[in-house]
Amino acid sequence: MTHDSSASEAALNAVAGDDAPLDDAATVAPDLDLTETEDDVARERALRVGLEEFELDEEDQALLSSEWSDEESEAEQILPVLAIIGRPNVGKSTLVNRILGRREAVVEDKPGVTRDRVSYPAEWAGRRFMLVDTGGWEVDVAGIESKVAEQAEVAISLADAVVFVVDAAVGATATDERVVELLRRSGKPVVLCANKVDGASGEADAAYLWALGLGEPFPVSALHGRGTGDLLDAAVKALPSKSAHGTLRPSGPRRVALVGRPNVGKSSLLNKIAGSERVVVDEVAGTTRDPVDELIELRGIPYWFVDTAGIRRRVHQTKGADFYASLRTAAAIDKAEVGVVLVDASAPLTEQDIRVIQQVVDSGRALVIAYNKWDLMDEDRRPYLEREIEKELVQIQWAPRVNLSARTGWHSERLVPAIERSLASWDRRIPTGKLNSFLGELVAAHPHPLRGGKQSRILFATQASTRPPRFVIFATGFIEAGYRRFIERRLRETFGFEGTPIEISVRVREKRRR
């Protein structure tokens, strides 16, 4: 459904007690002049020369010499495909999560949890590839297990290389030997992973897997991370430089995750935005369990909206469907680019609401806070609620806030400009010369406090990446947390980083010894 982008879409942080037309200019982020002047370039050049007097490691040199290119960062590439294959319950999904560095695939200590082929973009030692998790392969099975086995066989045929996972504690079974036959027929490069090796005795068990005839078995503990580096080195080496089976992954529409506590109106909001009953809505909390994707066009721009299960207070105490729903919600946040956190305006802000907001911030995603059921609030109550919100969310005042009603659609059109502003900030890059000019003026006016008779001096700063914006500061000494927060606050005021977390890291470097 396409929404009308009229002048009534307006001020994101206005108190939603007025239904009169709003000033459209308020929806537009202020024009930021990010052009470097000659003075900015000269300052950057001088500071770089000054850095040569300090001890810099290879990582520092790589960061300082890298040239930013928006075209390169957004270029679409065909990535080689690495499939994880094995019989049920040998730890394939655990290994996938270890490689990704996050809990993406659902894991449980019983066979048959994974059923589909699921692809994830991954990276190791600067090499990007597509990682494919598969269900367990079994011989002579019927029903759903046979379909799972078929999917695993398809994954082998569509892979450029395969990691074959065997439970070293159990040893090679008849099923494992049948998988070896399947892999040999495929002709694909195979790296043998001997999983569940937690010590020296396990390494002896892994040595028996030489008998499979697939070369050196790499002893690994996917659960604890032991040996996964050597395994990945071998796997990346087996991948071809040019993929024969990879497909082009388009950048596509921006992904928006609707998150919040159970029963705050996430599904109702998705239905209202989509213009149809896309997802089930019920008064019972926890109706949604699996993330539901919907492509919706708003103001002529397509977005992927993802409705997620409500994030409960004690995830570690849940089990069954609710437990898996919580994992999938966390994965949906990681896959999204902006998280819209719904909060129930008719009830006091809870610790769980704060935790959900913090989860989006910790994942490095852009953030919009939507106060639902605002139309039910008494007119006299609204000003007091505004002050309560400012007090409760004092640490994240940078997040745009929208007051709306998911049930009736009241003021829901304000969500779009808030998302646009957050995403624009999430993608924003400050030229190095302009960044150092900004810091030079800031430090001159407000120097770092003296500690122990010494004063830390900022030598140079650069923006290492976007999504979210990450800044690296080179200094002669430790920069206190309070001063870093001060720098972050001024960065937001000067460059308009509304709706995105900012990461600032400090590298302390000493002068070279002569």
Side-chain angles (χ1 to χ4, degrees), residues 58-90:
E58 291 182 3
E59 188 179 350
D60 295 336
Q61 297 287 3
L63 177 64
L64 293 169
S65 62
S66 62
E67 293 293 330
W68 186 279
S69 171
D70 290 326
E71 292 181 1
E72 288 180 10
S73 64
E74 295 178 3
E76 298 171 3
Q77 297 178 337
I78 296 178
L79 302 179
V81 181
L82 180 67
I84 308 295
I85 301 295
R87 61 183 180 80
N89 211 33
V90 293

Short mmCIF file of all heavy atoms in Angstrom, two decimals, residues 58-90:
data_model
loop_
_atom_site.label_atom_id
_atom_site.label_comp_id
_atom_site.label_asym_id
_atom_site.label_seq_id
_atom_site.Cartn_x
_atom_site.Cartn_y
_atom_site.Cartn_z
N GLU A 58 50.13 -2.10 12.64
CA GLU A 58 49.65 -2.33 11.27
C GLU A 58 48.16 -1.97 11.14
O GLU A 58 47.74 -1.44 10.12
CB GLU A 58 49.87 -3.78 10.89
CG GLU A 58 51.33 -4.16 10.71
CD GLU A 58 51.50 -5.60 10.27
OE1 GLU A 58 50.47 -6.26 10.05
OE2 GLU A 58 52.65 -6.06 10.15
N GLU A 59 47.38 -2.28 12.18
CA GLU A 59 45.95 -1.96 12.13
C GLU A 59 45.72 -0.46 12.06
O GLU A 59 44.85 0.02 11.34
CB GLU A 59 45.25 -2.56 13.36
CG GLU A 59 43.73 -2.45 13.30
CD GLU A 59 43.07 -3.06 14.52
OE1 GLU A 59 43.78 -3.72 15.32
OE2 GLU A 59 41.85 -2.89 14.67
N ASP A 60 46.53 0.30 12.82
CA ASP A 60 46.43 1.76 12.77
C ASP A 60 46.75 2.26 11.37
O ASP A 60 46.04 3.11 10.82
CB ASP A 60 47.41 2.39 13.77
CG ASP A 60 47.08 2.07 15.21
OD1 ASP A 60 45.90 1.76 15.48
OD2 ASP A 60 47.98 2.12 16.05
N GLN A 61 47.85 1.76 10.79
CA GLN A 61 48.26 2.20 9.46
C GLN A 61 47.19 1.89 8.43
O GLN A 61 46.90 2.70 7.54
CB GLN A 61 49.59 1.51 9.07
CG GLN A 61 50.76 1.86 9.97
CD GLN A 61 51.28 3.28 9.73
OE1 GLN A 61 50.73 4.03 8.93
NE2 GLN A 61 52.35 3.64 10.43
N ALA A 62 46.57 0.69 8.54
CA ALA A 62 45.52 0.31 7.59
C ALA A 62 44.32 1.25 7.71
O ALA A 62 43.72 1.66 6.71
CB ALA A 62 45.09 -1.13 7.83
N LEU A 63 43.97 1.60 8.95
CA LEU A 63 42.83 2.49 9.17
C LEU A 63 43.12 3.88 8.61
O LEU A 63 42.26 4.49 7.96
CB LEU A 63 42.54 2.58 10.67
CG LEU A 63 41.41 3.54 11.09
CD1 LEU A 63 40.07 3.07 10.54
CD2 LEU A 63 41.34 3.64 12.61
N LEU A 64 44.33 4.37 8.82
CA LEU A 64 44.67 5.72 8.39
C LEU A 64 44.87 5.82 6.88
O LEU A 64 44.64 6.88 6.29
CB LEU A 64 45.96 6.18 9.09
CG LEU A 64 45.83 6.38 10.61
CD1 LEU A 64 47.19 6.57 11.23
CD2 LEU A 64 44.93 7.57 10.91
N SER A 65 45.27 4.71 6.24
CA SER A 65 45.53 4.77 4.81
C SER A 65 44.33 4.40 3.96
O SER A 65 44.34 4.58 2.75
CB SER A 65 46.69 3.82 4.46
OG SER A 65 46.34 2.48 4.77
N SER A 66 43.28 3.83 4.61
CA SER A 66 42.11 3.40 3.83
C SER A 66 41.36 4.61 3.29
O SER A 66 41.16 5.60 3.99
CB SER A 66 41.17 2.56 4.71
OG SER A 66 40.69 3.32 5.80
N GLU A 67 40.98 4.51 2.04
CA GLU A 67 40.22 5.57 1.39
C GLU A 67 38.75 5.17 1.37
O GLU A 67 38.40 4.08 0.92
CB GLU A 67 40.72 5.80 -0.05
CG GLU A 67 42.12 6.37 -0.12
CD GLU A 67 42.18 7.79 0.43
OE1 GLU A 67 41.17 8.50 0.33
OE2 GLU A 67 43.25 8.18 0.95
N TRP A 68 37.92 6.06 1.84
CA TRP A 68 36.48 5.78 1.88
C TRP A 68 35.89 5.91 0.49
O TRP A 68 36.13 6.86 -0.23
CB TRP A 68 35.79 6.75 2.82
CG TRP A 68 34.35 6.44 3.03
CD1 TRP A 68 33.31 6.75 2.21
CD2 TRP A 68 33.78 5.73 4.13
NE1 TRP A 68 32.14 6.30 2.73
CE2 TRP A 68 32.40 5.66 3.91
CE3 TRP A 68 34.31 5.17 5.28
CZ2 TRP A 68 31.53 5.05 4.80
CZ3 TRP A 68 33.45 4.56 6.16
CH2 TRP A 68 32.08 4.51 5.92
N SER A 69 35.09 4.91 0.10
CA SER A 69 34.40 4.98 -1.20
C SER A 69 33.00 4.46 -1.02
O SER A 69 32.78 3.30 -0.72
CB SER A 69 35.13 4.14 -2.25
OG SER A 69 34.35 4.04 -3.42
N ASP A 70 32.02 5.36 -1.17
CA ASP A 70 30.63 4.93 -1.04
C ASP A 70 30.27 3.90 -2.10
O ASP A 70 29.49 2.99 -1.88
CB ASP A 70 29.69 6.15 -1.17
CG ASP A 70 29.80 7.06 0.04
OD1 ASP A 70 30.01 6.54 1.14
OD2 ASP A 70 29.69 8.29 -0.13
N GLU A 71 30.87 4.06 -3.30
CA GLU A 71 30.56 3.12 -4.37
C GLU A 71 31.04 1.72 -4.01
O GLU A 71 30.35 0.74 -4.22
CB GLU A 71 31.22 3.58 -5.68
CG GLU A 71 30.61 4.86 -6.24
CD GLU A 71 31.26 5.26 -7.54
OE1 GLU A 71 32.16 4.53 -8.01
OE2 GLU A 71 30.86 6.29 -8.10
N GLU A 72 32.24 1.64 -3.43
CA GLU A 72 32.75 0.33 -3.05
C GLU A 72 31.96 -0.29 -1.93
O GLU A 72 31.69 -1.46 -1.91
CB GLU A 72 34.22 0.45 -2.63
CG GLU A 72 35.16 0.72 -3.79
CD GLU A 72 36.58 0.83 -3.32
OE1 GLU A 72 36.84 0.52 -2.14
OE2 GLU A 72 37.43 1.23 -4.11
N SER A 73 31.56 0.55 -0.94
CA SER A 73 30.85 0.00 0.21
C SER A 73 29.47 -0.49 -0.17
O SER A 73 28.92 -1.37 0.47
CB SER A 73 30.73 1.06 1.30
OG SER A 73 29.94 2.15 0.87
N GLU A 74 28.88 0.08 -1.21
CA GLU A 74 27.53 -0.32 -1.59
C GLU A 74 27.52 -1.25 -2.79
O GLU A 74 26.48 -1.65 -3.27
CB GLU A 74 26.70 0.94 -1.90
CG GLU A 74 26.50 1.83 -0.67
CD GLU A 74 25.72 3.07 -1.01
OE1 GLU A 74 25.29 3.21 -2.17
OE2 GLU A 74 25.55 3.92 -0.12
N ALA A 75 28.71 -1.58 -3.33
CA ALA A 75 28.75 -2.41 -4.53
C ALA A 75 28.20 -3.80 -4.22
O ALA A 75 28.48 -4.39 -3.19
CB ALA A 75 30.18 -2.51 -5.03
N GLU A 76 27.41 -4.32 -5.13
CA GLU A 76 26.86 -5.66 -4.98
C GLU A 76 27.87 -6.66 -5.52
O GLU A 76 28.45 -6.47 -6.58
CB GLU A 76 25.53 -5.76 -5.72
CG GLU A 76 24.46 -4.81 -5.19
CD GLU A 76 23.24 -4.77 -6.07
OE1 GLU A 76 23.22 -5.54 -7.05
OE2 GLU A 76 22.32 -4.00 -5.79
N GLN A 77 28.09 -7.72 -4.79
CA GLN A 77 29.06 -8.72 -5.18
C GLN A 77 28.43 -10.10 -5.11
O GLN A 77 27.56 -10.36 -4.28
CB GLN A 77 30.29 -8.67 -4.27
CG GLN A 77 31.06 -7.36 -4.35
CD GLN A 77 32.24 -7.36 -3.39
OE1 GLN A 77 32.25 -8.09 -2.41
NE2 GLN A 77 33.22 -6.53 -3.68
N ILE A 78 28.90 -10.98 -6.01
CA ILE A 78 28.50 -12.39 -5.94
C ILE A 78 29.47 -13.08 -4.99
O ILE A 78 30.66 -13.14 -5.25
CB ILE A 78 28.52 -13.04 -7.32
CG1 ILE A 78 27.49 -12.38 -8.24
CG2 ILE A 78 28.24 -14.54 -7.21
CD1 ILE A 78 27.46 -12.93 -9.64
N LEU A 79 28.96 -13.60 -3.88
CA LEU A 79 29.81 -14.19 -2.85
C LEU A 79 29.88 -15.71 -3.03
O LEU A 79 28.87 -16.34 -3.37
CB LEU A 79 29.26 -13.87 -1.46
CG LEU A 79 29.12 -12.38 -1.11
CD1 LEU A 79 28.55 -12.23 0.29
CD2 LEU A 79 30.46 -11.67 -1.22
N PRO A 80 31.06 -16.31 -2.78
CA PRO A 80 31.14 -17.78 -2.83
C PRO A 80 30.31 -18.39 -1.71
O PRO A 80 30.06 -17.76 -0.68
CB PRO A 80 32.64 -18.05 -2.63
CG PRO A 80 33.18 -16.82 -1.98
CD PRO A 80 32.34 -15.68 -2.48
N VAL A 81 29.89 -19.64 -1.91
CA VAL A 81 28.95 -20.30 -1.01
C VAL A 81 29.65 -21.44 -0.27
O VAL A 81 30.26 -22.32 -0.89
CB VAL A 81 27.74 -20.87 -1.79
CG1 VAL A 81 26.75 -21.54 -0.83
CG2 VAL A 81 27.04 -19.75 -2.55
N LEU A 82 29.57 -21.42 1.06
CA LEU A 82 30.13 -22.46 1.92
C LEU A 82 28.98 -23.14 2.66
O LEU A 82 28.29 -22.50 3.45
CB LEU A 82 31.13 -21.86 2.91
CG LEU A 82 31.80 -22.83 3.88
CD1 LEU A 82 32.72 -23.79 3.14
CD2 LEU A 82 32.58 -22.06 4.96
N ALA A 83 28.77 -24.44 2.41
CA ALA A 83 27.66 -25.17 3.03
C ALA A 83 28.16 -25.99 4.21
O ALA A 83 29.25 -26.59 4.16
CB ALA A 83 27.00 -26.08 2.01
N ILE A 84 27.38 -26.03 5.28
CA ILE A 84 27.68 -26.84 6.47
C ILE A 84 26.79 -28.09 6.39
O ILE A 84 25.56 -27.99 6.42
CB ILE A 84 27.39 -26.07 7.76
CG1 ILE A 84 28.08 -24.70 7.75
CG2 ILE A 84 27.81 -26.89 8.98
CD1 ILE A 84 29.58 -24.76 7.75
N ILE A 85 27.42 -29.26 6.29
CA ILE A 85 26.71 -30.52 6.05
C ILE A 85 27.03 -31.51 7.16
O ILE A 85 28.14 -31.50 7.72
CB ILE A 85 27.10 -31.12 4.68
CG1 ILE A 85 26.79 -30.14 3.55
CG2 ILE A 85 26.40 -32.45 4.42
CD1 ILE A 85 25.32 -29.85 3.36
N GLY A 86 26.09 -32.40 7.47
CA GLY A 86 26.34 -33.46 8.45
C GLY A 86 25.04 -34.13 8.85
O GLY A 86 23.95 -33.65 8.50
N ARG A 87 25.15 -35.21 9.58
CA ARG A 87 23.93 -35.87 10.05
C ARG A 87 23.32 -35.07 11.20
O ARG A 87 23.94 -34.11 11.69
CB ARG A 87 24.23 -37.31 10.45
CG ARG A 87 25.24 -37.47 11.57
CD ARG A 87 25.54 -38.93 11.87
NE ARG A 87 26.51 -39.05 12.95
CZ ARG A 87 26.24 -38.93 14.23
NH1 ARG A 87 24.99 -38.68 14.63
NH2 ARG A 87 27.19 -39.06 15.14
N PRO A 88 22.11 -35.42 11.66
CA PRO A 88 21.44 -34.63 12.70
C PRO A 88 22.23 -34.58 14.01
O PRO A 88 22.90 -35.54 14.39
CB PRO A 88 20.10 -35.35 12.90
CG PRO A 88 19.87 -36.09 11.62
CD PRO A 88 21.24 -36.48 11.13
N ASN A 89 22.15 -33.42 14.68
CA ASN A 89 22.64 -33.23 16.05
C ASN A 89 24.16 -33.37 16.20
O ASN A 89 24.64 -33.78 17.25
CB ASN A 89 21.95 -34.21 17.01
CG ASN A 89 21.81 -33.61 18.41
OD1 ASN A 89 21.62 -32.42 18.56
ND2 ASN A 89 21.89 -34.45 19.42
N VAL A 90 24.91 -33.00 15.16
CA VAL A 90 26.37 -33.01 15.29
C VAL A 90 26.91 -31.60 15.59
O VAL A 90 28.11 -31.42 15.76
CB VAL A 90 27.06 -33.57 14.01
CG1 VAL A 90 26.74 -35.04 13.85
CG2 VAL A 90 26.67 -32.77 12.78
#
